[in-house]
Amino acid sequence: MAIVVVIETPGMNQAMYEQGTDRLTGGRGVVKKASDWPVPGLISHTAAPTPDGWLVVDVWESEDAFRKFGEHLRPMLREIGAPDVEPKIYPAYNVVTS
């Protein structure tokens, strides 16, 4: 079952996001397609600034796929100095892609 993951990170900024995605993609820079991620299962990824930090909203094929990605994500977030936050996970009711 697909899931929606919402990660709100106070204090994070675009430079930190770019540094993090560069690490996740093995030096290829900001993510351009789902296959750029280090694990399979990403359906969509959206990132945006907020008044106090950074927001990421992902759709994953399953919670298991996201948990595998988390094994890469958490250490990377620590390395770039992002605060430790818990993602909010919701079952997806409807997913529309182009």
Side-chain angles (χ1 to χ4, degrees):
M1 166 189 269
I3 61 165
V4 177
V5 179
V6 179
I7 304 172
E8 296 180 83
T9 312
M12 190 168 174
N13 58 37
Q14 184 173 334
M16 293 170 79
Y17 171 80
E18 290 174 355
Q19 181 183 11
T21 57
D22 189 59
R23 289 175 188 229
L24 287 174
T25 63
R28 292 188 309 263
V30 176
V31 175
K32 300 293 182 193
K33 55 188 183 265
S35 62
D36 288 341
W37 290 109
V39 298
L42 180 70
I43 295 172
S44 70
H45 172 80
T46 303
T50 66
D52 67 340
W54 201 254
L55 171 70
V56 170
V57 179
D58 284 353
V59 178
W60 284 85
E61 291 176 356
S62 68
E63 191 165 345
D64 185 53
F66 173 68
R67 297 285 177 208
K68 288 177 184 172
F69 172 62
E71 295 171 12
H72 297 269
L73 180 65
R74 286 208 183 267
M76 179 279 299
L77 289 173
R78 282 189 207 102
E79 288 174 13
I80 65 168
D84 191 27
V85 297
E86 280 300 313
K88 295 175 185 168
I89 300 173
Y90 306 96
Y93 171 73
N94 187 23
V95 178
V96 178
T97 61
S98 58

